């Protein structure tokens, strides 16, 4: 923390000031952020107690006074400083440091610390995921940043539920969603922030640009990879079904129709549905049909992939460079 404030001298844990500070924090059950936000009279009293018995320097007292000015006067750097004072962890503080750049007022921080300062309820300090419970206590205008909270929810819902499009009816404050989105997007004034823009799709869903864009890029790469196989997928499957139906063991007519339609309009097949609907069965049939091609199995978790691989009966040809891409998931 001393380096963040560009102080040259290091605080010694054996100093009188340090011992007095630790005693005050433990006795009053407060953290350093609580301390610097005390009323003037109480703060000055605490500073006097910290300095009591100290022979010179008064480094800790100077640092606390400086932190207090930055936070109470709402100077640039207040959000990051408040969070670091509330959640003092050396590895978090070190990740924000810069040896020669003063990005946030007089704080020596690197560029990676800037996003959190500007959007503290949505962005994270560099190399650290901030907890909402800590942000509630650390950020002064927490309740005035509902647009950031909304964006945070969309991001977390997308990551947790593996769904790009979030149903508006499942979100809170439905009548304010457009306001939240507009306010949040206006804050994304840096080019690198734009990837987090929020949009409404068909007046029913909210999505974040980066998730849709990344998914489309992945699909594009998969499509390019699938084009390396110089055959008509759909015709190949239908021919295999007609000539090897007994070997493939397809007794269910509905599953046969699914297989016949699987690659009719695309060289990428998405197999999705709840448990027990036959996702693994279909993936296994397709794998057997394309027995002489190497396969890539994609899913939303490693355990699902391992389970899928155990149940696959098809052989894997490692010497071929072509790929058949099979994406198996419960949700899409």
């Amino acid at each position: 923390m001393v380096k963040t404030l560009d102080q040259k001298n290091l605080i010694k844990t054996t100093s009188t000031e340090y011992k007095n500070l630790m005693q005050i924090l433990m006795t009053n059950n407060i953290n350093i952020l609580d301390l610097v936000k005390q009323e003037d009279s109480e703060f000055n009293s605490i500073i006097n107690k910290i300095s009591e018995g100290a022979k010179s320097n008064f480094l800790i007292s100077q640092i606390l006074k400086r932190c207090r000015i930055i936070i109470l006067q709402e100077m640039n750097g207040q959000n990051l400083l408040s969070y670091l004072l509330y959640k003092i962890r050396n590895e978090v503080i070190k990740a924000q440091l810069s040896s020669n750049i003063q990005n946030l007022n007089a704080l020596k921080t690197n560029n990676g610390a800037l996003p959190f300062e500007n959007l503290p309820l949505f962005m994270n300090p560099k190399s650290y995921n901030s907890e909402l419970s800590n942000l509630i206590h650390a950020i002064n205008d927490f309740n005035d940043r509902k647009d950031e909270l909304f964006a945070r929810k969309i991001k977390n819902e997308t990551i947790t539920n593996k769904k790009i499009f979030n149903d508006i009816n499942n979100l809170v404050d439905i009548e304010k969603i457009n306001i939240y989105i507009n306010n949040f997007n206006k804050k994304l004034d840096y080019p690198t922030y734009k990837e987090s823009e929020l949009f409404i799709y068909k007046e029913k869903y909210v999505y974040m640009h980066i998730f849709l864009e990344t998914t489309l890029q992945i699909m594009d790469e998969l499509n390019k990879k699938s084009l390396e196989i110089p055959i008509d997928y759909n015709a190949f499957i239908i021919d295999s079904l007609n000539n090897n139906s007994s070997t493939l063991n397809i007794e269910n007519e509905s599953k046969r129709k699914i297989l016949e339609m699987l690659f009719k309009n695309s060289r990428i097949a998405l197999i999705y549905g709840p448990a027990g609907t036959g996702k693994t069965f279909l993936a296994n049939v397709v794998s057997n049909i394309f027995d002489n091609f190497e396969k890539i199995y994609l899913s939303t978790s490693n355990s699902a992939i391992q389970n899928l691989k155990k149940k696959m009966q098809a052989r894997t040809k490692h010497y071929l460079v072509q790929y058949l891409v099979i994406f198996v998931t419960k949700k899409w």
Side-chain angles (χ1 to χ4, degrees):
M1 184 60 71
V2 175
K3 291 181 179 179
T4 305
L5 292 164
D6 197 22
Q7 292 285 346
K8 306 301 181 184
N9 299 319
L10 295 178
I11 295 174
K12 296 180 179 180
T13 57
T14 56
S15 70
T16 301
E17 265 198 314
Y18 181 83
K19 292 178 181 178
N20 289 343
L21 173 61
M22 292 299 104
Q23 183 63 42
I24 290 170
L25 295 178
M26 288 187 290
T27 301
N28 295 279
N29 193 27
I30 59 174
N31 55 60
I32 295 181
L33 179 61
D34 293 332
L35 190 157
V36 300
K37 293 172 71 173
Q38 295 290 325
E39 295 293 333
D40 288 347
S41 58
E42 183 62 25
F43 177 76
N44 291 330
S45 174
I46 291 175
I47 290 297
N48 289 333
K49 291 178 182 178
I50 291 173
S51 304
E52 195 173 279
K55 295 180 179 179
S56 61
N57 204 348
F58 306 115
L59 179 59
I60 291 180
S61 298
Q62 293 174 24
I63 290 174
L64 292 176
K65 289 177 181 178
R66 189 171 172 189
C67 289
R68 179 178 171 82
I69 291 173
I70 293 173
I71 292 172
L72 295 189
Q73 293 186 9
E74 299 182 354
M75 299 169 69
N76 196 19
Q78 62 154 329
N79 291 325
L80 179 63
L81 182 58
S82 294
Y83 190 80
L84 295 179
L85 290 177
Y86 181 80
K87 188 76 174 178
I88 292 185
R89 295 181 62 173
N90 284 333
E91 66 271 23
V92 181
I93 295 172
K94 288 178 181 178
Q96 318 310 313
L97 287 176
S98 171
S99 59
N100 54 11
I101 303 175
Q102 291 184 332
N103 277 319
L104 300 174
N105 195 37
L107 302 184
K108 279 209 165 182
T109 57
N110 55 56
N111 290 330
L114 292 176
F116 178 79
E117 176 62 27
N118 297 325
L119 299 165
L121 303 191
F122 177 73
M123 299 292 190
N124 289 307
K126 185 179 179 181
S127 304
Y128 185 75
N129 291 325
S130 56
E131 301 92 346
L132 191 60
S133 58
N134 292 328
L135 293 170
I136 292 174
H137 297 285
I139 305 304
N140 274 336
D141 55 350
F142 182 92
N143 292 323
D144 296 328
R145 294 178 177 269
K146 291 184 178 179
D147 56 317
E148 292 177 38
L149 281 175
F150 178 78
R152 184 187 182 100
K153 178 176 178 61
I154 296 299
K155 179 174 69 173
N156 291 342
E157 287 286 322
T158 303
I159 294 172
T160 302
N161 297 325
K162 311 295 189 299
K163 295 175 69 174
I164 297 173
F165 299 101
N166 296 269
D167 193 328
I168 285 178
N169 293 318
N170 295 332
L171 302 172
V172 296
D173 295 339
I174 296 177
E175 69 282 358
K176 296 182 180 179
I177 285 178
N178 282 309
I179 296 175
Y180 291 157
I181 290 176
N182 290 333
N183 289 345
F184 178 74
N185 288 346
K186 287 178 182 177
K187 293 181 178 180
L188 306 177
D189 51 357
Y190 289 91
T192 53
Y193 291 5
K194 289 294 183 181
E195 63 183 19
S196 297
E197 279 188 311
L198 296 174
F199 296 94
I200 293 179
Y201 177 65
K202 291 187 175 181
E203 299 183 356
K204 293 176 61 178
Y205 305 97
V206 179
Y207 70 93
M208 190 165 286
H209 174 74
I210 186 173
F211 292 117
L212 180 60
E213 185 66 22
T214 302
T215 300
L216 292 176
Q217 289 175 4
I218 292 172
M219 298 294 286
D220 184 56
E221 288 300 314
L222 293 178
N223 190 53
K224 289 178 182 177
K225 184 62 68 175
S226 70
L227 292 174
E228 294 178 7
I229 305 178
I231 61 172
D232 183 332
Y233 280 19
N234 193 51
F236 192 78
I237 283 186
I238 292 175
D239 182 65
S240 297
L241 291 174
N242 291 333
N243 297 320
N244 304 293
S245 57
S246 58
T247 305
L248 295 172
N249 194 28
I250 304 173
E251 299 177 355
N252 189 309
E253 187 62 27
S254 64
K255 285 185 171 59
R256 181 186 177 93
K257 289 182 179 179
I258 291 174
L259 289 165
E260 290 175 348
M261 298 292 293
L262 203 57
F263 294 108
K264 186 174 182 179
N265 299 312
S266 173
R267 294 175 71 88
I268 298 175
L270 304 179
I271 302 174
Y272 62 97
T277 53
K279 297 186 299 297
T280 303
F281 172 80
L282 289 173
N284 192 44
V285 171
V286 174
S287 296
N288 277 291
I289 290 174
F290 290 88
D291 192 36
N292 290 323
F293 298 94
E294 190 172 54
K295 292 91 176 168
I296 298 177
Y297 297 95
L298 305 178
S299 190
T300 54
S301 69
N302 185 58
S303 59
I305 290 293
Q306 296 305 318
N307 182 54
L308 190 64
K309 288 170 68 175
K310 287 179 183 178
K311 295 181 179 180
M312 288 296 104
Q313 299 171 358
R315 296 172 296 167
T316 301
K317 300 293 185 179
H318 293 288
Y319 55 85
L320 292 176
V321 296
Q322 295 97 337
Y323 295 87
L324 169 70
V325 178
I326 303 173
F327 188 96
V328 183
T329 179
K330 291 183 180 180
K331 300 176 180 178
W332 182 252

